[in-house]
Amino acid sequence: MTPSYRAILALTALFSLAGCAAQNPEVSTLTTEVNQLNQKLDRLTDLAGALEHQTTLNRQSTNGVYLLPQAKTPALLNTDFAQLSLSLDSIAQDSTGTSAVLKIKSTSGKALPAFSAVVDWGQIDQVTGKPLTVDMQSQVITVTPRLLPSSEQTTEVRFSNITPETLGFVHLHHLTLIPEGNTDAKP
């Protein structure tokens, strides 16, 4: 080989290696994007599983409605006074356990009346997928209308002795209208 051919081959090899080195950041960026997409897909898969689980529990329920914090989706409940869309939001640790905001909306757009409800909460059995009733806790909540009638209402709910990570279900049932002027009534 003559020196000019060697130089040409050496320069070609050098440019090829330089091209590979220039592609390395792109491969790294692509790998990062694929990992991010995999994480998003995992979250969507978990969300879809929780939503399906919430739907199944509500289909099997003969009274009330189940809300699964992991589903992050409202559930519908037919009551004597309205069809309600209920959801949990702002789930956070507090000094006694967990707090959350219960969002209540009349699907018809009619103003919500005052009512009370029994709220149960606890963990989900990891084997059967059913609510564990052994350590389940309950409380009665009262929802009173605002000064101006509204079809939407929020109320803070505290779930004692359970962390946000272990709060598997919330079950609202026995919704009872409270006669006007009497907000102390219990179901």
Side-chain angles (χ1 to χ4, degrees), residues 41-53 68-73:
L41 183 60
D42 288 344
R43 284 193 300 269
L44 286 173
T45 301
D46 292 344
L47 184 63
L51 177 57
E52 183 178 340
H53 191 188
L68 302 185
Q70 299 81 9
K72 299 179 180 167
T73 304

Side-chain angles (χ1 to χ4, degrees), residues 9 11 17 23 38 48 66 77 83 90 131 137 141 168 172 183:
L9 282 174
L11 285 174
L17 290 174
Q23 288 178 356
N38 280 336
Y66 283 93
L77 175 63
Q83 182 183 54
S90 304
Q137 299 181 64
I141 62 167
L172 279 88
T183 58

Side-chain angles (χ1 to χ4, degrees), residues 159-179:
F159 307 110
S160 58
N161 304 319
I162 197 162
T163 64
E165 298 78 29
T166 57
L167 178 63
F169 74 93
V170 175
H171 182 218
L172 279 88
H173 56 98
H174 289 96
L175 280 76
T176 307
L177 277 173
I178 298 173

Side-chain angles (χ1 to χ4, degrees), residues 114-115 142 144 177-186:
F115 66 92
T142 302
T144 55
L177 277 173
I178 298 173
E180 280 190 49
N182 183 9
T183 58
D184 296 331
K186 304 279 186 224

Side-chain angles (χ1 to χ4, degrees), residues 5-107:
Y5 287 122
R6 286 185 189 163
I8 291 172
L9 282 174
L11 285 174
T12 304
L14 184 62
F15 285 130
S16 294
L17 290 174
C20 289
Q23 288 178 356
N24 220 5
E26 290 176 6
V27 170
S28 177
T29 301
L30 185 59
T31 301
T32 301
E33 289 177 6
V34 167
N35 287 337
Q36 289 173 348
L37 285 172
N38 280 336
Q39 290 173 352
K40 288 179 183 177
L41 183 60
D42 288 344
R43 284 193 300 269
L44 286 173
T45 301
D46 292 344
L47 184 63
L51 177 57
E52 183 178 340
H53 191 188
Q54 176 175 290
T55 302
T56 300
L57 285 174
N58 284 322
R59 276 193 203 127
Q60 296 170 351
S61 177
T62 57
N63 102 17
V65 67
Y66 283 93
L67 298 171
L68 302 185
Q70 299 81 9
K72 299 179 180 167
T73 304
L76 296 176
L77 175 63
N78 291 318
T79 69
D80 292 337
F81 53 90
Q83 182 183 54
L84 302 177
S85 171
L86 300 137
S87 64
L88 293 172
D89 195 22
S90 304
I91 300 169
Q93 184 81 39
D94 73 4
S95 62
T96 63
T98 299
S99 66
V101 173
L102 176 63
K103 292 183 174 183
I104 307 160
K105 180 179 179 182
S106 169
T107 60

